Amino acid sequence: MSTTLLTATAPPNVYRDRRRRLGASLRRPMTIFAGSAAPRNYPANTYVFRAASTYLYFGGPPIEGAAMLIEPGNDGASGCVLFREPAGPDDEVWLGPTPTDADLAGYSGLPVSAVRDLNKLMTSVSGRGVVIAPVVCPRARETARRCGIADAASDDLLPIILLRLRKDEHELAAMRRAAKVTVEAHAAAARAIRPGRIEADVAAAFHAVLAAHQHQPSFNPIISVRGEVLHCSGYPNRLDDGALLLIDAGSEEPGGYACDVTRVYPVSGRFTPEQRAVYDTVHRAMSAGVAACTVGTRYRDVHFLTAKVLCEGLVAAGLLKGDPAALADRRAHTLFFTHGVGHLIGLDVHDMEDFGDLAGYAPGRQRPTEFGSKFLRLDRDLEPGMCVTIEPGVYLSPAIWKRSDLVAPFRDVVNLPQVEALLARRFGGIRLEQTVHVRTKEAGGPEALSDALPVAADEALATMRGG
Ligand code: GLY
Ligand code: MN
């Protein structure tokens, strides 16, 4: 156990209500594990602890090794048990004081009698057909196996997903805090861009802001002059005049809620005309995508709407030939816009991706199999309180253009010499991303939580200059 700050994102009665609502749908008891910090090399050298998202959502205090048992028909307090590892005699010497059972009970909205020793978990679940909510931590999985806890089926997990899809006011407040720090960190990163520096200098500026706010990165930031490599890692490249730098990064506030934002800046502080044309196209697509995030809209339609707007710009730029809508229908955009338009976001940056497509895809909907569309992580009708990202992009990716299986079907509509010219100039890629909260029209329509960070080209350049 460690002296983790017990930072709750909701008051105890809200946690109780979430557990009660889950219990009303559960058919069998469920254990939800917190997980433990993962060591990098020798066991005591652990990386920062982050409790599992579903555990946090139902009011589990962020302490390592804990588990909650939630019974069908519970009232939020009775029928719920928190199991925690007992502190060892030397723990306080190494780790400082640990929270008391009263602290843990107060955080979770449980009576103190519902806080028990983890050693009692086995006898509490034995022979009762208890299932486990998804958890990646190997130690938690091993504990579950020893206790005879079975993997959950889709019917066990759907009630969790349906609750977590719509963010309540406490979750939205946490996401706004994550967005505020993300915007500040992005602006600092933009100001750190100078020809002759390297990507790591920009990464350092981003991380410094997060560290000062005691936030964590919500994923490993992508800060790269190779924007066409979608999840590029490492920061070794020099920032050369004429190059574009893509910054895809977000913060996670101490309660675990994430933000995810992408911006692209010209290293020199000026876009070339061809960079500017593509930038403005992606900006138009992103704005259209954000505006389309209205209640009842099918997210897959938002994806294809942004694809059509991108095709309009690609035709205007002379890279594609033909009618933009027909090009998008034929999926010609996938040569340039190689991924899905976004994903759920909340406690995880790709919210509930540990549930697989059960979370992202509405019942009866299947993930497509063709290149491009198969990377779409979400196909649900948007509901008030859902949070999603909108992140269209245009990439000149050598990995695409050397693949005849991808290029051959579109030879008649592609201006290949023009594409080859951009590849030769190492154009890279442009992606622009907002984290968006879906609201009813009466409540103001789609809310881009990361709106305070400028997107329009001239304003983005001003951000680089500290404006
Ligand atoms: N921001 C990285 C991603 O959404 O995959
Ligand atoms: Mn994203």
Side-chain angles (χ1 to χ4, degrees):
M1 232 191 243
S2 67
T3 49
T4 316
L5 267 174
L6 292 183
T7 312
T9 49
N13 65 304
V14 171
Y15 290 139
R16 276 197 298 272
D17 192 50
R18 291 178 189 170
R19 292 191 295 269
R20 184 191 57 74
R21 290 168 69 194
L22 175 63
S25 309
L26 281 181
R27 298 173 311 156
R28 37 193 185 168
M30 178 174 280
T31 36
I32 307 177
F33 283 85
S36 305
R40 285 195 154 174
N41 31 40
Y42 63 93
N45 185 14
T46 54
Y47 197 57
V48 65
F49 171 63
R50 158 64 150 82
S53 296
T54 298
Y55 170 87
L56 289 174
Y57 179 80
F58 288 107
I63 52 169
E64 293 188 50
M68 275 198 149
L69 177 61
I70 301 187
E71 303 282 349
N74 76 79
D75 72 3
S78 90
C80 301
V81 181
L82 173 67
F83 294 92
R84 48 106 188 95
E85 287 177 337
D90 297 333
D91 279 1
E92 191 163 343
V93 176
W94 287 91
L95 306 171
T98 50
T100 64
D101 286 357
D103 294 335
L104 301 177
Y107 174 106
S108 300
L110 292 170
V112 181
S113 59
V115 181
R116 309 220 181 118
D117 192 321
L118 187 68
N119 294 321
K120 304 261 169 58
L121 178 63
M122 181 144 4
T123 46
S124 301
V125 300
S126 177
R128 299 187 52 227
V130 176
V131 293
I132 183 176
V135 62
V136 289
C137 172
R139 247 181 86 195
R141 298 193 64 78
E142 174 55 21
T143 304
R145 195 196 57 74
R146 270 192 287 108
C147 293
I149 297 170
D151 282 339
S154 307
D155 286 352
D156 302 306
L157 299 177
L158 265 174
I160 299 179
I161 292 167
L162 294 178
L163 283 170
R164 284 184 56 189
L165 275 175
R166 290 182 178 219
K167 275 58 184 170
D168 65 24
E169 62 181 299
H170 307 284
E171 298 183 279
L172 289 165
M175 292 190 69
R176 290 195 180 94
R177 290 194 291 275
K180 191 162 187 287
V181 173
T182 299
V183 166
E184 186 184 331
H186 262 266
R191 289 194 300 273
I193 299 170
R194 304 248 192 301
R197 287 188 173 172
I198 66 169
E199 293 157 341
D201 294 313
V202 178
F206 183 85
H207 283 289
V209 173
L210 264 52
H213 288 279
Q214 302 186 62
H215 283 211
Q216 296 287 331
S218 56
F219 58 99
N220 201 23
I222 301 160
I223 299 176
S224 181
V225 291
R226 303 286 313 280
E228 79 281 10
V229 181
L230 300 176
H231 282 177
C232 198
S233 61
Y235 312 111
N237 296 307
R238 215 179 57 180
L239 308 185
D240 288 327
D241 242 335
L244 295 169
L245 183 72
L246 182 145
I247 304 177
D248 180 352
S251 96
E252 177 186 289
E253 54 84 50
Y257 285 85
C259 189
D260 188 6
V261 169
T262 308
R263 298 289 187 268
V264 172
Y265 302 96
V267 167
S268 66
R270 288 175 308 279
F271 287 109
T272 66
E274 80 190 2
Q275 288 170 342
R276 174 73 188 242
V278 175
Y279 187 99
D280 288 346
T281 293
V282 177
H283 182 199
R284 274 197 298 279
M286 191 204 75
S287 302
V290 171
C293 286
T294 54
V295 173
T297 301
R298 185 173 179 174
Y299 188 79
R300 193 182 71 170
D301 294 340
V302 181
H303 172 77
F304 286 114
L305 169 70
T306 61
K308 185 176 136 268
V309 177
L310 292 177
C311 284
E312 286 164 4
L314 291 165
V315 169
L319 288 159
L320 283 177
K321 297 175 273 190
D323 171 58
L327 289 166
D329 283 348
R330 268 184 71 179
R331 313 293 191 245
H333 59 272
T334 57
L335 295 172
F336 300 93
F337 174 34
T338 45
H339 55 81
V341 77
H343 48 86
L344 292 166
I345 183 166
L347 269 167
D348 306 311
V349 67
H350 288 186
D351 205 23
M352 297 187 277
E353 208 161 282
D354 49 345
F355 293 81
D357 284 348
L358 199 58
Y361 278 69
R365 293 184 186 164
Q366 302 286 326
R367 190 184 275 254
T369 51
E370 84 249 19
F371 185 83
S373 308
K374 73 178 176 183
F375 302 122
L376 187 59
R377 298 176 197 270
L378 178 59
D379 186 10
R380 282 185 176 273
D381 295 348
L382 296 174
E383 300 172 29
M386 274 189 183
C387 291
V388 299
T389 67
I390 294 295
E391 46 181 310
V394 167
Y395 311 94
L396 271 295
S397 169
I400 296 286
W401 293 95
K402 69 181 181 202
R403 280 186 54 181
S404 60
D405 63 318
L406 299 179
V407 177
F410 302 112
R411 282 211 188 281
D412 58 321
V413 291
V414 168
N415 183 346
L416 216 45
Q418 175 94 342
V419 167
E420 279 161 3
L422 289 189
L423 288 170
R425 288 201 283 281
R426 293 171 67 92
F427 181 90
I430 296 179
R431 174 167 67 253
L432 296 170
E433 176 180 26
Q434 300 281 49
T435 293
V436 180
H437 163 214
V438 179
R439 292 186 299 197
T440 60
K441 208 185 292 167
E442 298 70 42
E447 176 192 18
L449 299 177
S450 43
D451 208 26
L453 186 70
V455 193
D458 291 332
E459 292 175 34
L461 299 181
T463 303
M464 294 178 77
R465 298 190 297 269

